[in-house]
Amino acid sequence: MFPIPVTVLTGFLGAGKTTLLNRLLKDPALADTAVIINEYGEVAIDHLLVEQASDGIIELSDGCLCCTVRGELVDTLANLVDRLQTGRIARLARVVIETTGLADPAPVLQSIMGHPALVQAFRLDGVVTLVDAVNGSASLDAHVEALKQAAVADRLGLTKTDLATSEDMEALTARLATISPAAQILDAGQASAPDLFNCGLYDPATKSADVRRWLGEAAREVHEHDHPHGQAHHHDHDHGHHHAHHHRHDGRVRTHALVHDGAVPYSAIEMFLDLLRSTQGDKLLRMKGVIELAEDPSRPLVIHGVQRLLHPPARLPAWPDDRRGTRLVLITLDMPKGYVERLFAALTNRPAVDTPDRAALEGNPLAIAGR
C-alpha cells in the first residue's frame, strides 16, 4: 500500500494545468488518484468530474497552496492516509498536487519530503511543469518563479502548441533544454498520464530502479551532444551564458552533474551534504544522487533533497546495472560559480586546480584518511 507516489503539477499562470487535469483524470491510468487543487485565481476542475470522483478530489480553495495552506496540505495528506487505513477509501494509487501559477514549488516539495509521518506514507514521484508555448518565454523573462518551476521539473509539458509558430516552439524547446537539461520535454496535449506522471526512481512497468532515467542522464546526454562543455565526469551547465542579454533570469540557474568512479565513505558524503546545505541551502533548488559507499559498495545509497531539506536516504537492494560509482545532479539558483565543484573535488580527494597540491590536500575538509 505504501509509499504512495505524489506528483506535483506546477506551471505559471495560464499554462493550462486545470485543462490538463480535466483531460487526464478521465484516463483509466489515473484511476484511484486523489487530486489536491487550489482554485485561487484559477479555473476549478469541472463539476461533472468532481461528482464522478467524489472523495477522489480534494480542493483547497482559500489561499495559496505553497504558503498560506501548507499546514492544510500536510493535514490533507495525513487525512488521506487515515481514510485509506480505515477503509473509507478503498484504494489510493497516486496523489497529484496542483500548485498555483505563482507558486515556488520548493515549499510543496518540502512538505512532502520533510514530515516524519508523511515520508513513511508518500514518496515524491516527480515534478511536472507546464509551459505555455505562446507566452512561456515572456514568463521566463519576467518572473523568476517561472524559471524555478522549469528548473526543478522532471517533465516539462508544452501547452497551447497549436497556437505557437514552429520558430517559437523550436526556440522555447531549446531554451528549456538549457534551463533543465535533465527534464524530458513533451507536448502536454498529446502526452498520456503515464508519460507525464511516472518520473520516480522506480519504473512502474518493471518494478525496478531506473537510475539513469531518474537522474535524467539520457536527456542530459542529448543536450551535451548538441552543446558540449565541461569535463567528461564533471559537468557544470552554465545556463544562459550565451543568451543572457535577452534571457535575463536564465543564467541564475545551473545544473551540476557530478560523477566519481569509485566508492566513497559515508562520513565524507555526510559532510559534503551538511556543508552544502548549511552554507548554500537556500540556493539548492533540488538534488538527486546515487552513491557507491565504501562501507557497503553492493547496495547503492539514494539521496533526494530540496534546499536544506534532505529526504531520509534510502538503500537499494542491489545495483540495477553494471554502472557504479557516485552520481549527483544538483540544480541551483544564484550559487557562487565553482562552489559545488570545489566541494565535490574535496569529497573525492581531487586537488583544486588553482591551489598547490599540498595545500589543497592538507586544507581539504573532506579528506579521506589514508588516501
Side-chain angles (χ1 to χ4, degrees):
M1 180 169 62
F2 297 119
I4 299 164
V6 178
T7 300
V8 175
L9 177 64
T10 188
F12 204 68
L13 291 170
K17 298 183 293 296
T18 304
T19 300
L20 178 72
L21 276 175
N22 275 321
R23 177 174 70 84
L24 292 183
L25 286 173
K26 297 168 185 174
D27 187 331
L30 285 189
D32 303 314
T33 293
V35 180
I36 301 175
I37 66 175
N38 176 30
E39 282 190 285
Y40 185 71
E42 309 252 356
V43 179
I45 295 288
D46 68 65
H47 296 293
L48 177 62
L49 186 57
V50 173
E51 290 173 8
Q52 289 176 337
S54 62
D55 284 345
I57 298 287
I58 300 169
E59 297 189 37
L60 305 181
S61 58
D62 57 340
C64 172
L65 180 61
C66 72
C67 49
T68 60
V69 298
R70 274 186 70 190
E72 189 178 342
L73 172 62
V74 170
D75 293 342
T76 300
L77 290 170
N79 182 256
L80 279 175
V81 175
D82 181 67
R83 289 199 226 179
L84 192 60
Q85 291 177 331
T86 57
R88 286 178 288 166
I89 297 177
R91 184 171 182 269
L92 183 58
R94 177 183 300 277
V95 176
V96 176
I97 301 173
E98 178 194 346
T99 74
T100 60
L102 293 172
D104 177 350
V108 177
L109 303 180
Q110 289 175 325
S111 294
I112 302 164
M113 298 170 66
H115 194 281
L118 294 183
V119 79
Q120 302 300 318
F122 298 100
R123 64 174 173 84
L124 177 65
D125 184 66
V127 179
V128 177
T129 300
L130 299 188
V131 180
D132 180 339
V134 178
N135 301 308
S137 283
S139 297
L140 290 169
D141 285 337
H143 303 281
V144 71
E145 294 86 359
L147 183 69
K148 287 183 180 180
Q149 292 167 355
V152 302
D154 296 283
R155 300 282 187 274
L156 287 162
L158 300 182
T159 62
K160 307 177 186 177
T161 56
D162 56 323
L163 303 178
T165 66
S166 58
E167 292 80 6
D168 288 343
M169 284 285 294
E170 184 177 350
L172 179 60
T173 300
R175 184 177 182 184
L176 291 172
T178 303
I179 292 171
S180 187
Q184 184 179 355
I185 301 175
L186 303 166
D187 183 334
Q190 302 297 322
S192 66
D195 291 337
L196 288 167
F197 289 161
N198 292 328
C199 342
L201 175 61
Y202 288 93
D203 184 337
T206 63
K207 307 297 183 184
S208 61
D210 189 342
V211 170
R212 188 169 180 268
R213 177 181 59 85
W214 184 59
L215 293 178
E217 291 176 346
R220 241 189 353 266
E221 286 166 7
V222 172
H223 173 68
E224 289 165 11
H225 180 267
D226 293 334
H227 308 282
H229 53 293
Q231 300 175 20
H233 294 287
H234 193 200
H235 302 292
D236 171 16
H237 299 284
D238 191 352
H239 302 327
H241 177 73
H242 299 295
H243 306 283
H245 60 286
H246 59 92
H247 297 333
R248 63 189 183 93
H249 288 308
D250 294 17
R252 301 173 61 185
V253 174
R254 289 194 181 98
T255 295
H256 314 257
L258 309 173
V259 179
H260 175 64
D261 294 326
V264 295
Y266 182 77
S267 58
I269 283 290
E270 190 174 39
M271 188 177 293
F272 171 79
L273 296 175
D274 285 347
L275 283 171
L276 183 64
R277 289 182 295 149
S278 62
T279 61
Q280 305 290 337
D282 291 341
K283 300 170 183 176
L284 182 60
L285 298 181
R286 201 166 176 199
M287 171 176 56
K288 299 179 183 180
V290 177
I291 298 161
E292 182 180 3
L293 291 179
E295 292 84 351
D296 185 3
S298 66
R299 299 177 62 222
L301 179 75
V302 177
I303 60 172
H304 195 182
V306 176
Q307 294 183 334
R308 287 188 167 86
L309 183 68
L310 188 67
H311 189 281
R315 300 291 293 275
L316 296 180
W319 289 90
D321 53 40
D322 294 334
R323 187 179 179 188
R324 297 194 176 193
T326 293
R327 287 175 277 170
L328 296 171
V329 177
L330 285 73
I331 303 167
T332 65
L333 178 73
D334 296 331
M335 184 76 74
K337 190 171 178 61
Y339 177 85
V340 170
E341 289 66 37
R342 288 192 298 272
L343 200 59
F344 190 71
L347 162 72
T348 54
N349 258 6
R350 289 203 309 271
V353 294
D354 56 351
T355 310
D357 286 357
R358 182 181 180 85
L361 291 173
E362 290 180 350
N364 183 348
L366 307 179
I368 301 169
R371 289 189 59 184

